Each structure stands twice: as structure tokens, then as C-alpha cells.
Amino acid sequence: MSPLALARALGMALDAVLAFRLRTLFVSLAVAFGIAALTLIVTAVDGANRMAYQIVDMFGPDAALVFGGNIKKRAVGERTQTLTEDDARRIRRSLPGVSLVAPMRAKFDVTARYEGRTAAGLTAVGALEDYTRAWNWPLAEGRDFSPEDVERAAKVCLLGDKPSRTLFGDESPVGRTIFVNNVPLLVIGKLAYRGFTGGGGGREVDDRVILPLPTLTSRFNLDRKFFVGLRVKFSDATRMESQVAALKAMLRELHRLPPEADDDFTVLTADEVLAFLAMLKGGLMVFLGVTAVAALAVGGFVLANLFALSVTERSSEIGLKRALGARSSAVLAQFLFEAVILTLAGGVLGLFLGLSLGQLLTRLEILTIQFSWKVFGMALGGSLVVGLVFGLKPARQAAALDPVEALRGGG
């Protein structure tokens, strides 16, 4: 076909799309749902990849987290308080390659107050000196804990970004005294914004107050013998596998576990976190992928059936065009153009629907999405494929109509 004929077929296709509005609405909506699911898949997977790298960056490739109790095999009622101060001391002094050991202890749902302003639901975390180095978490301003702060159980704290904004807005919190569950604490530093949700109950890591560990245990009456966990950093990140194996062997020896007994602790590294996230991402892709394919197939079948009915209803129109000299290829092109226009319109609608749904799920902290231009290309490409594949049969049916029979209404 000549470019002029294609342009004429495209113009007639646009007129037909505008004339049959109900058909346009049904087909566009059917395709839009499939494209919305496809958009959600791509943006959610990209968001999961971004979050995985953020977690690894926060976790650190040179670090391991040790938790009390066997998370993977723990039986009901099995105790989780298995890590002691002696464990931390022996690991720090005797395990080769260790550069830092930071005990972990926390009290949840504390409240901070400052001059009539209140920040509730915070997490009070106990730490030793060099907290920011231990957790790869830079300060936005102020200073970190010193050995003297820890030794004398000083009433000082580091403030997370969220409670800082709640209590002080855009002003600096450093040098101010806040009350955490009625305990006065001098703010000596503000942690940089992390923007990540994790831990039990979907707690935000920015929603915390950091205290010297002795201050936390004494002021909040916490158990001083056991730790929830230990963060162990190694000097050589390339030897993590052998160093983690040595760490596990030392803990088993310290806890006097017989060879046949399971570990009474759990060691997590960045590689294990990535493997777990990859498993979650794979499950998400399968679930949303099946949903997207099913929705696109439904949209395609709606298109094919409505176009098949349209061919019958418009048989007189088709016969008149053929009688006036239109070629079967022109009729085929017009119907294919109609199908593609409808599915592309549904694709654009589905793209915005998917992005809107993704933003809602992100705000509800169910998913984290990441927009990229490949989403736009995949949405339009998927719409185009649906239009061509499912619109081809009715288009060929229209092009194959006999002009005389079509004029008689026998299409």
C-alpha cells in the first residue's frame, strides 16, 4: 500500500474509533488492566532491586549479624536469649580478622518529648562508641559516642531523622535536651536520613533514638546479661565465607553445643540477605506475571470478539468501500489500525493506572516501585502486540468479505 492509502486508512480508523465509543471504552479498559499489571511488575522489580542494593549498602559486605536463637529451625518455646557479653568479648579478642563487635539491644515504643512536641512509637537503641562506623550510618551533624560516654553511662543520644523533624522541624537538634520516657538526654548528633523500613512491624530505621548501651540498660531496666544480637565487622570482606565459618565454630564452642545439636544462634550476611530478597522478588514476578498475562489475554479476547461483531454490523460499510474501489488490503489496514489505536489508548491508561497503584502501595509500605523509561516502552509495546495479534483475525475477516454479499448485509 502507498503512504497515501495508509494515511487514508488511519484517518478512517480514527473516525471509527470515535464513532463506536462503547466498544472503544470496553476494549481500552480491558487492555488497561493488563498493562497496569505489567507496569506494576516492572516497577516493583526495579524497586526491589534498588532496595536490595540499599540494604546491602546499609548491611555492609564486610559484616555479619548474629541473632540469639535459631531463626531457621527454632522450635516453639525455644529460648532466643543465647548471646552474652562474654560472647561479644571473646569474639572481639580471639576471633581472627574481626575489626569490630557491636552488641544490639533495644526498647520499642518509647516516646520522646521536647517543649510540648511529642514523637511516639520510637525505638531506643543501645550502642557502644563509633555507632556510625559500626552500622555504616553517617551523621548529618554533630558527633558520635565517645568511649567516655559509654563508660560513664552518659545521658546523651543520637537522634534519627524522623523524630528530629517531628520535634525540631528544620532546626538543628544538636545541643538540645529531650525527654525519652521521662529520661533527659542531650542530643549530640543527628543521623543521616536512610528512608528504609525494616524490622518487626514494619518499623522505620529513621524512627529511632540511639543511647549509650549502659545508659539504655540502666535507665530502662533492661537485662544486662543477654544481647538480642551482635554486629560483627571483619577487616577483609573477600574472606567472608571462611570468617563466618570461624565465627559459627567459636559460638558453638562458647555455648558448649555437641556436634549433633543445632546452632542456638543465627548468622546473617549480605549474601544471605540478597538471596532472600531474590526469592521474594522471584515470587513477586511469578504472581504478577501470571496476573498480567491473564489480564492482557482477557483484553485481547474482548478486542477479538467485539471486532468480530463489528465486522458483521459494518458489513454494508465494508461492501460499499469495496464497491467504490477500496482494496482488501485497505480494509485490513483500517481494522488493524483501529485495533492498535484502541490497545495503545488502553496501554497509556494502564500505564498511569499501574503507576498510580504502585505509588499507593509504596505509601502503604506494601511495595516499593522504581519508575524507568523501559516501563513506558514495555507498556506501549505490549499494547501494540495485543492489538496486532488479536486484531488480525477480525481484520482479515473484514478484508475477505465479498462486496456484493456485504452490500446485501450478508457479512
Side-chain angles (χ1 to χ4, degrees):
M1 291 181 63
S2 65
L4 182 61
L6 284 174
R8 189 180 298 115
L10 177 59
M12 289 187 289
L14 286 171
D15 292 338
V17 167
L18 295 175
F20 296 93
R21 295 177 182 176
L22 191 59
R23 182 197 66 176
T24 298
L25 176 64
F26 282 140
V27 173
S28 297
L29 284 178
V31 174
F33 291 137
I35 295 301
L38 179 65
T39 301
L40 199 58
I41 291 173
V42 178
T43 54
V45 170
D46 288 348
N49 283 332
R50 183 187 66 174
M51 181 174 291
Y53 288 117
Q54 286 179 343
I55 291 174
V56 171
D57 182 58
M58 291 167 56
F59 195 102
D62 59 347
L65 284 180
V66 187
F67 293 101
N70 193 320
I71 297 174
K72 300 176 182 177
K73 299 181 180 180
R74 186 175 69 202
V76 177
E78 182 180 334
R79 75 187 185 100
T80 58
Q81 291 186 321
T82 62
L83 300 175
T84 66
E85 188 173 348
D86 182 60
D87 292 334
R89 184 169 53 252
R90 294 284 294 275
I91 291 171
R92 187 182 298 113
R93 292 178 179 177
S94 305
L95 188 64
V98 169
S99 62
L100 182 148
V101 178
M104 295 189 298
R105 185 172 284 147
K107 182 174 178 60
F108 300 105
D109 296 321
V110 302
T111 300
R113 293 182 294 106
Y114 178 77
E115 292 186 352
R117 298 180 184 178
T118 302
L122 306 180
T123 301
V125 177
L128 301 181
E129 63 270 18
D130 294 330
Y131 174 84
T132 57
R133 183 171 71 90
W135 290 93
N136 302 337
W137 196 336
L139 287 170
E141 56 181 306
R143 67 171 179 86
D144 202 343
F145 297 135
S146 66
E148 292 75 19
D149 293 328
V150 176
E151 184 178 353
R152 59 188 178 89
K155 290 189 287 186
V156 296
C157 70
L158 305 177
L159 204 56
D161 182 81
K162 188 172 180 181
S164 174
R165 292 186 180 279
T166 302
L167 297 177
F168 300 100
D170 294 331
E171 297 180 7
S172 171
V174 177
R176 313 286 183 92
T177 298
I178 65 174
F179 288 84
V180 177
N181 284 17
N182 297 321
V183 177
L185 298 172
L186 175 67
V187 181
I188 60 172
K190 176 185 173 182
L191 294 168
Y193 175 72
R194 271 279 168 86
F196 175 70
T197 300
R203 300 179 187 275
E204 296 182 41
V205 298
D206 293 301
D207 212 356
R208 60 180 56 195
V209 181
I210 317 299
L211 289 71
L213 185 57
T215 309
L216 180 74
T217 54
S218 62
R219 297 292 175 176
F220 293 90
N221 298 317
L222 299 183
D223 188 349
R224 302 188 183 189
K225 181 179 180 182
F226 294 101
F227 297 125
V228 174
L230 301 171
R231 178 171 170 85
V232 182
K233 294 192 75 172
F234 296 93
S235 54
D236 187 358
T238 62
R239 299 178 56 247
M240 284 297 293
E241 186 174 351
S242 61
Q243 291 173 140
V244 168
L247 172 62
K248 292 180 178 179
M250 173 174 279
L251 283 172
R252 288 186 64 87
E253 181 181 348
L254 290 172
H255 294 184
R256 295 182 172 85
L257 297 176
E260 67 276 6
D262 291 329
D263 295 338
D264 64 352
F265 55 86
T266 302
V267 180
L268 295 178
T269 63
D271 289 340
E272 290 176 306
V273 173
L274 278 177
F276 176 71
L277 290 174
M279 180 182 67
L280 288 181
K281 185 175 70 175
L284 178 68
M285 289 181 64
V286 170
F287 172 73
L288 292 179
V290 170
T291 303
V293 170
L296 283 174
V298 169
F301 282 118
V302 169
L303 172 89
N305 289 327
L306 289 180
F307 265 59
L309 290 174
S310 180
V311 169
T312 302
E313 293 173 354
R314 297 164 61 188
S315 58
S316 298
E317 172 197 338
I318 296 169
L320 180 61
K321 289 179 180 179
R322 294 295 308 280
L324 292 175
R327 298 181 180 180
S328 59
S329 58
V331 176
L332 176 71
Q334 178 185 338
F335 273 78
L336 277 180
F337 275 136
E338 288 182 35
V340 169
I341 290 171
L342 291 177
T343 54
L344 286 178
V348 173
L349 176 62
L351 177 65
F352 287 103
L353 180 63
L355 291 176
S356 300
L357 180 60
Q359 290 289 345
L360 175 62
L361 293 176
T362 298
R363 291 182 180 181
L364 295 176
E365 299 179 354
I366 298 174
L367 285 178
T368 299
I369 69 167
Q370 174 69 40
F371 176 78
S372 62
W373 285 107
K374 71 178 179 182
V375 177
F376 187 78
M378 292 182 69
L380 295 187
S383 305
L384 182 62
V385 169
V386 170
L388 291 176
V389 171
F390 289 92
L392 182 60
K393 184 177 179 180
R396 294 179 65 181
Q397 179 185 346
L401 286 180
D402 179 81
V404 177
E405 290 295 326
L407 283 172
R408 291 175 179 174

